[in-house]
Amino acid sequence: MKNKLAIISDSNTTRLAKRPISRAGHALPITIIALFLVASSTTAMLLVTANALHLNSKQRAGASAFNIAESGAEMAALWLKNQPHPPTQADPFDPFGGPQALANGTYEVTIYPDPANPTSYLKTFRIVSVGTVGENSRTIEVVVKQASFGRYAYFTDSEKSSISGGAIWWKAGEVVDGPVHSNNSNGANFNINYNGSNSPIFLDIVTGSGSTINYSPRRPRDEATFRRIFLNGSKGFKLGVPPIPLPPSSDTQRNAAWGSSAGFPSTNGVYLRAGLNGGIYVRGDAEMQLSLDASGNQELIIKQGSNVTTINFNKTTGTTTVTGPVGPGSPTSANSLGTGVIYCTGNITSLKGEVADNLVVNDEIVVRSAFTIAVDVNAGKYIRITDNLTYHTRPDKTLDSSNPVNLAAGTLGLVAKDIRIASTAPANLEINAVCLAGGQNTSGGSFYVENYSSKKPTGTLTVLGGIIQKARGPVGTFDSSSGQTLTGYAKNYSYDPRLASNPPPFYPTTGQYERLSWRLLPD
């Protein structure tokens, strides 16, 4: 029977009575809409998740590419270090011959030699390393430069005395203001007696290739005690670092003085080689004194027996002139200041004097007053310092490098098998120079005081620059209980940071490369 309206009537009301009607037609659209919303939400969530996963994957790949690029740069730096000589090519090159697989990607390296390398003793290289993982790449740039021994305030290959063979101790009250390193060869460790110390001995980082340090009266047990030895407490030293070899010879300095690696003279005398790509070459033993003329130019007085030769380096005109005897065939003038290397085949039996200032114009160094004085290391020749050896203007590392005193101060380096301080030297002696004694092929080689165990009166040995030696040389004795100096000198060694970036000419290198800069290049 079909549904229909029924009319219900009573006496007062007439009403329409509705019969039940189906809702199926309305529920279906609502269900479809709900399902659509759920599906849309699910799709959106899946898209967000997919994007997040993709971004996360890309970030992981980018991070991996970055790590691989950095590893490539380190491998290139290691490659440079392992070369017997710095590369001489001027054009960029790939040391590995193409992409190298590493982890889940590859790295490719290009080394760019600095354009100034042909005329610079310390070579500089720019390393660009590209790390790639899938479609993601990162590029690292590192600039490295050969490191000079001028970067150390104190360096020894062995901590044993070159004279007695026994241990040499650092003592309370002594000050070393600069980087210190020991190769700890022959099983010799650092020896530090801090008894009575109220202030640190070492004001900069101390590194050693050994595994321990000998302390007296005992090994520090707390940070306060460590700070009586190291300015940075227990973080002031690092052990187990790779050893750094000393240079094999002084041939580099010899060649730089002569201007060639052949044709050396057979007659004793002074040879001016400034106009022949060299410096000053002296055959035979000699005494040397550095001084200034009336105009502030450097003069070098060389005595060989009764012969006295004076060399003037005119920094204003850029010329070198000689008065007095010279070796056969040597010119007496040159329109050049030369390499700045003074080489002696014999012993320098006396060295003292004053190093002239640089020529500074408009806050720029126009001409450096920089010298390296060297003797034949492998032949066992020595340099003997008989009096103060100082810069006319003393640099100050607490001031900016552009400060007038740091711009003016000259530079001096010494290279010998032994560097001796005469027992007749003043009670308080100052040496402004970086000093290297000994080499890879010498049985010893030290910086030491003659008759150190009996030299009196006692005083302080002030060194501004650095001391690098094959084996530690004694400069005095002290009472182990009180720390009082008994003979010779107490030490006051200060680092000259200028010598790390601008060492004396042709000063020996460490075989290492120091990092000048690091940056992540834009994609």
Side-chain angles (χ1 to χ4, degrees), residues 333-348:
S333 65
N335 292 321
S336 167
L337 296 177
T339 59
V341 179
I342 302 160
Y343 184 84
C344 183
T345 64
N347 299 307
I348 298 178

Side-chain angles (χ1 to χ4, degrees), residues 95-227:
F96 306 122
Q100 303 294 305
L102 180 63
N104 58 333
T106 61
Y107 65 83
E108 189 166 8
V109 171
T110 304
I111 297 179
Y112 295 83
D114 190 276
N117 278 358
T119 57
S120 299
Y121 177 57
L122 296 180
K123 312 302 183 186
T124 302
F125 298 92
R126 183 168 65 95
I127 301 170
V128 176
S129 175
V130 180
T132 302
V133 175
E135 298 179 355
N136 298 274
S137 294
R138 295 291 185 273
T139 304
I140 298 292
E141 179 194 77
V142 179
V143 179
V144 297
K145 183 179 183 179
Q146 282 183 285
S148 163
F149 276 103
R151 66 183 300 193
Y152 293 104
Y154 198 87
F155 178 106
T156 55
D157 189 63
S158 173
E159 297 298 308
K160 291 181 178 179
S161 169
S162 60
I163 297 176
S164 68
I168 297 181
W169 289 75
W170 294 97
K171 74 178 184 69
E174 295 178 335
V175 178
V176 187
D177 185 7
V180 173
H181 175 81
S182 175
N183 286 332
N184 297 125
S185 64
N186 301 321
N189 294 333
F190 277 109
N191 303 286
I192 303 172
N193 184 318
Y194 62 92
N195 192 35
S197 174
N198 294 316
S199 58
I201 301 170
F202 302 99
L203 305 185
D204 209 318
I205 187 67
V206 174
T207 57
S209 301
S211 58
T212 59
I213 292 177
N214 296 330
Y215 296 97
S216 180
R218 67 185 64 84
R219 188 183 187 282
R221 298 173 181 175
D222 53 51
E223 194 63 21
T225 306
F226 272 116
R227 290 189 181 277

Side-chain angles (χ1 to χ4, degrees), residues 168-492:
I168 297 181
W169 289 75
W170 294 97
K171 74 178 184 69
E174 295 178 335
V175 178
V176 187
D177 185 7
V180 173
H181 175 81
S182 175
N183 286 332
N184 297 125
S185 64
N186 301 321
N189 294 333
F190 277 109
N191 303 286
I192 303 172
N193 184 318
Y194 62 92
N195 192 35
S197 174
N198 294 316
S199 58
I201 301 170
F202 302 99
L203 305 185
D204 209 318
I205 187 67
V206 174
T207 57
S209 301
S211 58
T212 59
I213 292 177
N214 296 330
Y215 296 97
S216 180
R218 67 185 64 84
R219 188 183 187 282
R221 298 173 181 175
D222 53 51
E223 194 63 21
T225 306
F226 272 116
R227 290 189 181 277
R228 292 167 58 188
I229 305 168
F230 307 100
L231 179 64
N232 293 322
S234 59
K235 295 181 180 179
F237 66 95
K238 184 178 181 181
L239 301 177
V241 303
I244 299 170
L246 287 166
S249 70
S250 54
D251 290 352
T252 296
Q253 292 72 43
R254 178 198 63 188
N255 298 345
W258 183 249
S260 173
S261 59
F264 304 108
S266 57
T267 302
N268 286 356
V270 177
Y271 295 82
L272 174 61
R273 303 289 293 180
L276 300 167
N277 301 315
I280 305 297
Y281 187 94
V282 180
R283 191 180 189 281
D285 291 351
E287 298 179 23
M288 296 186 185
Q289 179 175 352
L290 296 161
S291 61
L292 277 61
D293 70 7
S295 300
N297 294 311
Q298 187 70 66
E299 284 194 338
L300 173 64
I301 303 169
I302 301 174
K303 294 182 179 180
Q304 289 187 296
S306 60
N307 290 337
V308 179
T309 303
T310 300
I311 303 167
N312 183 279
F313 301 89
N314 192 313
K315 56 191 173 186
T316 303
T317 61
T319 59
T320 307
T321 55
V322 178
T323 56
V326 294
S330 173
T332 56
S333 65
N335 292 321
S336 167
L337 296 177
T339 59
V341 179
I342 302 160
Y343 184 84
C344 183
T345 64
N347 299 307
I348 298 178
T349 57
S350 174
L351 177 64
K352 59 185 178 181
E354 186 177 21
V355 178
D357 285 346
N358 299 320
L359 177 61
V360 180
V361 179
N362 296 326
D363 295 329
E364 287 191 19
I365 299 175
V366 177
V367 179
R368 289 184 73 200
S369 180
F371 300 93
T372 293
I373 300 176
V375 296
D376 193 336
V377 170
N378 287 349
K381 303 303 180 180
Y382 64 82
I383 294 175
R384 187 170 182 253
I385 298 172
T386 53
D387 208 331
N388 291 310
L389 188 60
T390 58
Y391 299 135
H392 180 67
T393 297
R394 201 176 196 274
D396 186 344
K397 75 173 191 175
T398 66
L399 301 176
D400 189 81
S401 60
S402 60
N403 187 277
V405 299
N406 289 326
L407 291 174
T411 307
L412 180 64
L414 307 180
V415 180
K417 194 266 184 177
D418 288 303
I419 296 177
R420 307 177 182 179
I421 296 173
S423 58
T424 55
N428 291 301
L429 181 69
E430 182 166 359
I431 300 171
N432 297 166
V434 56
C435 307
L436 190 152
Q440 282 186 37
N441 301 318
T442 61
S443 58
S446 298
F447 177 99
Y448 68 93
V449 173
E450 295 175 349
N451 301 321
Y452 72 95
S453 61
S454 59
K455 176 177 169 53
K456 287 189 176 184
T458 60
T460 299
L461 172 62
T462 299
V463 176
L464 174 60
I467 298 174
I468 297 95
Q469 54 190 333
K470 177 84 169 187
R472 285 196 61 177
V475 300
T477 63
F478 68 97
D479 186 301
S480 60
S481 299
S482 65
Q484 179 183 359
T485 302
L486 301 176
T487 64
Y489 296 99
K491 308 181 191 78
N492 182 10

